Amino acid sequence: MPHELAIGDVYFSPFLLVVIMAVIATWVSVAVLNKTRLSRLIAFPSVTFLAITLLYIVAIDSFFLRF
């Protein structure tokens, strides 16, 4: 069970780690979608990026880093 992240004397929530991991995973997913040209089928790319990020946040939080 993760606790606060300490960087220097500043404490961060473990949720920050989950968000960072989710954004990196989303960037990789979007790069794959762009490479395979499936991104041309998406109407609102920015909203889709946020939706994929939210899905990764929920997945990482529930499966990998349980609080």
Side-chain angles (χ1 to χ4, degrees):
M1 178 171 189
H3 296 285
E4 296 90 14
L5 302 172
I7 299 176
D9 288 334
V10 180
Y11 291 104
F12 295 102
S13 170
F15 187 68
L16 180 67
L17 177 64
V18 171
V19 170
I20 290 171
M21 290 171 59
V23 168
I24 291 171
T26 304
W27 277 337
V28 171
S29 298
V30 167
V32 168
L33 286 174
N34 288 335
K35 199 69 158 168
T36 59
R37 297 184 42 90
L38 289 174
S39 61
R40 63 185 168 91
L41 302 173
I42 297 172
F44 299 104
S46 58
V47 175
T48 305
F49 185 86
L50 291 175
I52 294 172
T53 304
L54 186 65
L55 289 173
Y56 276 124
I57 287 172
V58 170
I60 291 170
D61 189 34
S62 63
F63 294 121
F64 295 117
L65 297 174
R66 296 183 182 205
F67 296 112

